[in-house]
Amino acid sequence: MESLTKLINRIGMPRLAAMATVAVLMLGFFAFLITRAQTPNLAPLYSGLSLEDSSAILTELQTLNIPYELRGDGDTILIPRDQITTTRMSLAGEGLPTRGQVGYEIFDQQSTLGATSFVQNVNNVRALEGELARTITSLTRIKSARVHLVLPERELFRRERKDPSASIVLSVRGELSTGEIRAIQHLVASAIEGLNPSRVSIVDDRGTLLASGTGDDQTGMVAAQAEERTLGFENRMRTRIEDMLANVVGAGRARVEVAAELDFNRSTRTEEIFNPESQVVRSTQLRESENLSGGLNGQVTVANELPGASQGAGSSGMTEQGTSTEEVINYEISKTTQTAVTEAGAIKRLSVAVVVDGSYVDDGQGNVIYTPRSADEIAQILTLVRSAAGYSEARGDSVEVVNMQFAERPELAAPGTDQS
């Protein structure tokens, strides 16, 4: 005991305190490593869940004795990474997560024995709404969807029939394009018998009306299709010209804007041309007739009715004889029938504006000097752009190429290095 006391006095209390601190830290570090090694690597099982789905999934996880962890406001559930696949398959067998929607499994969960037709119709509508919501949610830009259907029943002894309608509330990522909105309308309309795409109303989670669904917006749909087609043509033309100029002046050193005016009128023209100089004899008909007529043979006249008149009196007369010939020739005249159909989407007028940056040269002292492009270079670029855009003077097309200095200057590569 005395030797231990002497050792402690020789080492000193400060050193003993430092050694004890290091030992405690090392023990804590090793304990952390052991705990970390024993703790399973968690990964998200599902995220963005509703509270109902989270509660149902947690109940199943507790039944399966799978460790879990909640994140966020309870909308994210984490489980061991190596058990995610099997757990998802097990939950899918139980119809989880439902995403707040009930599909055709509603008929498996309920007994049809004793169910009235009203209950069956309501369940059918709920199943259709749930299945459509799941299908729409599977789209990339859609986070969640709710579908409401109005399917009027046709009453007996009534000829009039009300058209079905649908309303959809979407939670989207970003903004939906016109084509994506129309795709959702046609998707829902194709799944419901008798539903017209124009009767599908769509609203996003911010309260923005994406499609009215009043049924009288056919003109608006046609205008939207025309606008989308025009925009697609302009984008393709702009990309084509920018890619070509990138190989000439460098990537990002040219900006292109295209304004196209398309003709969406569809016309059909039928023309028949007859050529009288090109005649072919089709048929010939020749008819000959001979006429022979004598006096008044056997006719009653005043002369042969007088008393004492002879039987031959009045029998003398003129005799007429004639021949007639009639010829009919039918000709077949050459006829050409042409039908020309002009489809919608022809280019009426095209305007292209191109801004090209100049060239930058290092003066050797680290200073970048801007040099405008020559008139010959601008003329060559103009020729290339006109050829790529399909320039037509008859349509009144306009193509302008302007050389201006860009606000952002390119980074010059060091000597002996590749700038790309």
Side-chain angles (χ1 to χ4, degrees):
M1 189 65 180
E2 294 180 358
S3 60
L4 181 59
T5 304
K6 292 179 181 180
L7 179 61
I8 293 174
N9 293 332
R10 186 168 59 242
I11 294 176
M13 293 301 296
R15 292 182 179 180
L16 288 176
M19 293 173 62
T21 303
V22 172
V24 171
L25 291 177
M26 293 183 65
L27 290 175
F29 176 72
F30 285 115
F32 172 76
L33 291 180
I34 294 173
T35 306
R36 186 69 176 177
Q38 295 179 351
T39 302
N41 187 14
L42 300 180
L45 176 64
Y46 292 110
S47 59
L49 298 172
S50 62
L51 295 179
E52 293 80 4
D53 285 341
S54 297
S55 177
I57 291 175
L58 291 182
T59 303
E60 291 294 330
L61 293 179
Q62 293 173 359
T63 303
L64 298 174
N65 197 19
I66 298 176
Y68 61 87
E69 181 180 344
L70 289 176
R71 295 282 180 87
D73 295 332
D75 58 349
T76 303
I77 301 177
L78 285 75
I79 65 171
R81 185 181 297 273
D82 56 350
Q83 300 182 15
I84 288 180
T85 303
T86 57
T87 304
R88 286 180 177 175
M89 294 176 64
S90 300
L91 294 176
E94 299 295 333
L96 296 174
T98 61
R99 301 290 182 183
Q101 303 293 338
V102 180
Y104 286 119
E105 66 272 7
I106 189 174
F107 297 104
D108 300 331
Q109 300 172 359
Q110 298 181 1
S111 175
T112 58
L113 183 63
T116 63
S117 59
F118 174 78
V119 175
Q120 291 291 341
N121 292 334
V122 171
N123 290 338
N124 182 43
V125 174
R126 290 181 61 192
L128 287 175
E129 293 175 347
E131 294 295 332
L132 286 173
R134 292 175 181 177
T135 304
I136 296 173
T137 307
S138 64
L139 300 178
T140 305
R141 302 289 297 277
I142 306 300
K143 292 192 294 185
S144 63
R146 288 186 61 87
V147 179
H148 301 279
L149 300 177
V150 178
L151 305 178
E153 296 182 2
R154 184 175 180 179
E155 299 180 2
L156 296 177
F157 309 108
R158 289 193 63 179
R159 295 182 179 180
E160 296 81 5
R161 179 182 178 183
K162 296 182 180 180
D163 296 330
S165 61
S167 58
I168 305 174
V169 180
L170 300 177
S171 178
V172 299
R173 299 180 179 91
E175 294 184 0
L176 296 179
S177 62
T178 305
E180 292 171 332
I181 295 174
R182 289 194 296 107
I184 295 176
Q185 287 183 301
H186 284 274
L187 173 66
V188 176
S190 300
I192 305 299
E193 181 181 1
L195 179 58
N196 192 290
S198 61
R199 300 281 297 174
V200 179
S201 175
I202 302 178
V203 181
D204 63 5
D205 52 356
R206 293 172 295 182
T208 303
L209 181 63
L210 304 180
S212 63
T214 57
D216 55 355
D217 57 349
Q218 293 291 339
T219 304
M221 294 183 63
V222 173
Q225 293 178 4
E227 182 181 359
E228 182 181 358
R229 188 170 181 178
T230 302
L231 184 60
F233 174 80
E234 293 174 350
N235 292 334
R236 291 194 301 269
M237 182 68 66
R238 179 174 61 252
T239 303
R240 182 190 308 172
I241 298 175
E242 286 183 348
D243 292 343
M244 179 191 65
L245 294 179
N247 298 324
V248 178
V249 300
R253 310 321 305 167
R255 296 290 184 270
V256 180
E257 289 295 333
V258 178
E261 183 180 355
L262 304 182
D263 186 7
F264 293 99
N265 295 324
R266 186 180 185 273
S267 61
T268 302
R269 178 183 178 184
T270 302
E271 181 179 6
E272 292 185 356
I273 302 176
F274 296 90
N275 186 7
E277 297 180 358
S278 177
Q279 299 180 357
V280 179
V281 177
R282 181 178 181 180
S283 62
T284 302
Q285 183 178 4
L286 181 63
R287 180 184 301 173
E288 295 182 357
S289 60
E290 182 177 356
N291 298 325
L292 178 62
S293 60
L296 301 176
N297 295 328
Q299 296 183 4
V300 178
T301 61
V302 177
N304 58 23
E305 290 295 331
L306 293 176
S310 61
Q311 294 294 330
S315 61
S316 62
M318 300 296 295
T319 301
E320 297 180 358
Q321 182 177 2
T323 303
S324 62
T325 302
E326 181 181 359
E327 184 178 5
V328 179
I329 302 176
N330 296 322
Y331 292 94
E332 190 72 31
I333 302 177
S334 176
K335 181 181 72 171
T336 303
T337 303
Q338 296 179 352
T339 301
V341 179
T342 303
E343 296 293 342
I347 302 175
K348 295 178 60 177
R349 191 172 184 274
L350 188 64
S351 299
V352 181
V354 181
V355 181
V356 182
D357 197 6
S359 58
Y360 297 87
V361 181
D362 191 354
D363 60 356
Q365 299 180 358
N367 299 323
V368 179
I369 300 177
Y370 171 79
T371 304
R373 298 188 181 274
S374 61
D376 295 338
E377 291 179 321
I378 298 299
Q380 293 177 356
I381 294 175
L382 178 60
T383 303
L384 290 175
V385 173
R386 285 183 173 180
S387 299
Y391 173 80
S392 175
E393 187 177 358
R395 290 197 306 252
D397 294 349
S398 173
V399 178
E400 297 292 338
V401 179
V402 179
N403 177 211
M404 296 182 66
Q405 183 178 4
F406 285 8
E408 297 180 359
R409 295 185 179 183
E411 295 294 337
L412 295 180
T417 61
D418 188 4
Q419 188 173 355
S420 60

